[in-house]
mmCIF file of all heavy atoms in Angstrom:
data_model
loop_
_atom_site.group_PDB
_atom_site.id
_atom_site.type_symbol
_atom_site.label_atom_id
_atom_site.label_comp_id
_atom_site.label_asym_id
_atom_site.label_seq_id
_atom_site.Cartn_x
_atom_site.Cartn_y
_atom_site.Cartn_z
ATOM 1 N N SER A 139 227.007 76.812 -163.761
ATOM 2 C CA SER A 139 226.242 76.388 -164.926
ATOM 3 C C SER A 139 227.121 76.367 -166.170
ATOM 4 O O SER A 139 227.936 77.267 -166.378
ATOM 5 C CB SER A 139 225.057 77.327 -165.161
ATOM 6 O OG SER A 139 224.399 77.009 -166.361
ATOM 7 N N PRO A 140 226.976 75.359 -167.015
ATOM 8 C CA PRO A 140 227.770 75.318 -168.242
ATOM 9 C C PRO A 140 227.336 76.363 -169.276
ATOM 10 O O PRO A 140 228.068 76.639 -170.223
ATOM 11 C CB PRO A 140 227.553 73.909 -168.785
ATOM 12 C CG PRO A 140 226.373 73.371 -168.086
ATOM 13 C CD PRO A 140 226.181 74.152 -166.828
ATOM 14 N N ILE A 141 226.164 76.942 -169.090
ATOM 15 C CA ILE A 141 225.670 77.954 -170.029
ATOM 16 C C ILE A 141 225.317 79.210 -169.234
ATOM 17 O O ILE A 141 224.499 79.161 -168.306
ATOM 18 C CB ILE A 141 224.451 77.431 -170.817
ATOM 19 C CG1 ILE A 141 224.868 76.218 -171.663
ATOM 20 C CG2 ILE A 141 223.840 78.539 -171.668
ATOM 21 C CD1 ILE A 141 223.754 75.571 -172.440
ATOM 22 N N ASP A 142 225.934 80.322 -169.594
ATOM 23 C CA ASP A 142 225.665 81.594 -168.920
ATOM 24 C C ASP A 142 224.183 81.934 -169.019
ATOM 25 O O ASP A 142 223.556 81.753 -170.066
ATOM 26 C CB ASP A 142 226.494 82.725 -169.547
ATOM 27 C CG ASP A 142 227.985 82.570 -169.266
ATOM 28 O OD1 ASP A 142 228.330 81.925 -168.247
ATOM 29 O OD2 ASP A 142 228.800 83.061 -170.071
ATOM 30 N N GLY A 143 223.620 82.400 -167.923
ATOM 31 C CA GLY A 143 222.226 82.807 -167.901
ATOM 32 C C GLY A 143 221.262 81.686 -167.546
ATOM 33 O O GLY A 143 220.064 81.917 -167.432
ATOM 34 N N VAL A 144 221.770 80.455 -167.383
ATOM 35 C CA VAL A 144 220.927 79.323 -166.971
ATOM 36 C C VAL A 144 221.464 78.835 -165.625
ATOM 37 O O VAL A 144 222.569 78.296 -165.549
ATOM 38 C CB VAL A 144 220.946 78.169 -168.011
ATOM 39 C CG1 VAL A 144 220.043 77.033 -167.549
ATOM 40 C CG2 VAL A 144 220.538 78.668 -169.390
ATOM 41 N N SER A 145 220.709 79.053 -164.560
ATOM 42 C CA SER A 145 221.172 78.692 -163.214
ATOM 43 C C SER A 145 221.142 77.182 -163.007
ATOM 44 O O SER A 145 220.457 76.445 -163.724
ATOM 45 C CB SER A 145 220.275 79.364 -162.170
ATOM 46 O OG SER A 145 218.977 78.801 -162.226
ATOM 47 N N LEU A 146 221.875 76.734 -162.006
ATOM 48 C CA LEU A 146 221.839 75.309 -161.651
ATOM 49 C C LEU A 146 220.440 74.899 -161.214
ATOM 50 O O LEU A 146 220.011 73.771 -161.473
ATOM 51 C CB LEU A 146 222.853 75.003 -160.549
ATOM 52 C CG LEU A 146 224.326 75.037 -160.975
ATOM 53 C CD1 LEU A 146 225.233 74.748 -159.772
ATOM 54 C CD2 LEU A 146 224.610 74.065 -162.099
ATOM 55 N N GLU A 147 219.703 75.819 -160.574
ATOM 56 C CA GLU A 147 218.325 75.516 -160.178
ATOM 57 C C GLU A 147 217.463 75.223 -161.408
ATOM 58 O O GLU A 147 216.667 74.279 -161.413
ATOM 59 C CB GLU A 147 217.714 76.672 -159.373
ATOM 60 C CG GLU A 147 218.326 76.877 -158.010
ATOM 61 C CD GLU A 147 219.647 77.658 -158.040
ATOM 62 O OE1 GLU A 147 219.994 78.288 -159.071
ATOM 63 O OE2 GLU A 147 220.343 77.647 -157.014
ATOM 64 N N THR A 148 217.648 76.010 -162.449
ATOM 65 C CA THR A 148 216.885 75.779 -163.681
ATOM 66 C C THR A 148 217.311 74.474 -164.334
ATOM 67 O O THR A 148 216.468 73.725 -164.849
ATOM 68 C CB THR A 148 217.044 76.971 -164.654
ATOM 69 O OG1 THR A 148 216.495 78.131 -164.019
ATOM 70 C CG2 THR A 148 216.317 76.717 -165.962
ATOM 71 N N TRP A 149 218.610 74.146 -164.285
ATOM 72 C CA TRP A 149 219.064 72.846 -164.815
ATOM 73 C C TRP A 149 218.392 71.711 -164.059
ATOM 74 O O TRP A 149 217.963 70.721 -164.655
ATOM 75 C CB TRP A 149 220.587 72.699 -164.732
ATOM 76 C CG TRP A 149 221.303 73.405 -165.838
ATOM 77 C CD1 TRP A 149 222.147 74.464 -165.717
ATOM 78 C CD2 TRP A 149 221.222 73.112 -167.235
ATOM 79 N NE1 TRP A 149 222.599 74.852 -166.956
ATOM 80 C CE2 TRP A 149 222.052 74.029 -167.900
ATOM 81 C CE3 TRP A 149 220.541 72.160 -167.976
ATOM 82 C CZ2 TRP A 149 222.218 74.020 -169.296
ATOM 83 C CZ3 TRP A 149 220.698 72.153 -169.359
ATOM 84 C CH2 TRP A 149 221.533 73.074 -169.998
ATOM 85 N N GLY A 150 218.268 71.844 -162.746
ATOM 86 C CA GLY A 150 217.597 70.811 -161.955
ATOM 87 C C GLY A 150 216.155 70.616 -162.404
ATOM 88 O O GLY A 150 215.681 69.484 -162.572
ATOM 89 N N ILE A 151 215.451 71.726 -162.622
ATOM 90 C CA ILE A 151 214.064 71.664 -163.079
ATOM 91 C C ILE A 151 213.979 71.051 -164.476
ATOM 92 O O ILE A 151 213.152 70.175 -164.741
ATOM 93 C CB ILE A 151 213.433 73.073 -163.050
ATOM 94 C CG1 ILE A 151 213.282 73.552 -161.608
ATOM 95 C CG2 ILE A 151 212.089 73.096 -163.774
ATOM 96 C CD1 ILE A 151 212.980 75.038 -161.463
ATOM 97 N N LEU A 152 214.857 71.500 -165.373
ATOM 98 C CA LEU A 152 214.843 70.982 -166.749
ATOM 99 C C LEU A 152 215.142 69.484 -166.796
ATOM 100 O O LEU A 152 214.495 68.736 -167.536
ATOM 101 C CB LEU A 152 215.876 71.734 -167.605
ATOM 102 C CG LEU A 152 215.527 73.174 -167.958
ATOM 103 C CD1 LEU A 152 216.716 73.864 -168.608
ATOM 104 C CD2 LEU A 152 214.320 73.218 -168.871
ATOM 105 N N LEU A 153 216.090 69.062 -166.000
ATOM 106 C CA LEU A 153 216.457 67.643 -166.030
ATOM 107 C C LEU A 153 215.358 66.766 -165.437
ATOM 108 O O LEU A 153 215.098 65.663 -165.928
ATOM 109 C CB LEU A 153 217.795 67.439 -165.324
ATOM 110 C CG LEU A 153 218.940 68.185 -166.014
ATOM 111 C CD1 LEU A 153 220.228 68.071 -165.217
ATOM 112 C CD2 LEU A 153 219.135 67.704 -167.434
ATOM 113 N N THR A 154 214.691 67.260 -164.406
ATOM 114 C CA THR A 154 213.536 66.526 -163.875
ATOM 115 C C THR A 154 212.458 66.419 -164.951
ATOM 116 O O THR A 154 211.867 65.352 -165.153
ATOM 117 C CB THR A 154 212.966 67.231 -162.626
ATOM 118 O OG1 THR A 154 213.976 67.265 -161.609
ATOM 119 C CG2 THR A 154 211.747 66.503 -162.079
ATOM 120 N N ALA A 155 212.221 67.511 -165.672
ATOM 121 C CA ALA A 155 211.218 67.510 -166.742
ATOM 122 C C ALA A 155 211.600 66.549 -167.865
ATOM 123 O O ALA A 155 210.738 65.859 -168.419
ATOM 124 C CB ALA A 155 211.032 68.929 -167.278
ATOM 125 N N ILE A 156 212.876 66.491 -168.204
ATOM 126 C CA ILE A 156 213.333 65.560 -169.243
ATOM 127 C C ILE A 156 213.059 64.124 -168.827
ATOM 128 O O ILE A 156 212.481 63.338 -169.574
ATOM 129 C CB ILE A 156 214.835 65.767 -169.555
ATOM 130 C CG1 ILE A 156 215.039 67.079 -170.312
ATOM 131 C CG2 ILE A 156 215.399 64.591 -170.356
ATOM 132 C CD1 ILE A 156 216.498 67.493 -170.459
ATOM 133 N N VAL A 157 213.454 63.779 -167.609
ATOM 134 C CA VAL A 157 213.269 62.406 -167.121
ATOM 135 C C VAL A 157 211.785 62.053 -167.065
ATOM 136 O O VAL A 157 211.372 60.986 -167.527
ATOM 137 C CB VAL A 157 213.946 62.226 -165.741
ATOM 138 C CG1 VAL A 157 213.519 60.935 -165.078
ATOM 139 C CG2 VAL A 157 215.458 62.278 -165.885
#
Side-chain angles (χ1 to χ4, degrees):
S139 174
I141 297 178
D142 291 335
V144 181
S145 68
L146 288 179
E147 292 81 14
T148 297
W149 280 115
I151 292 166
L152 288 171
L153 298 175
T154 299
I156 288 170
V157 167

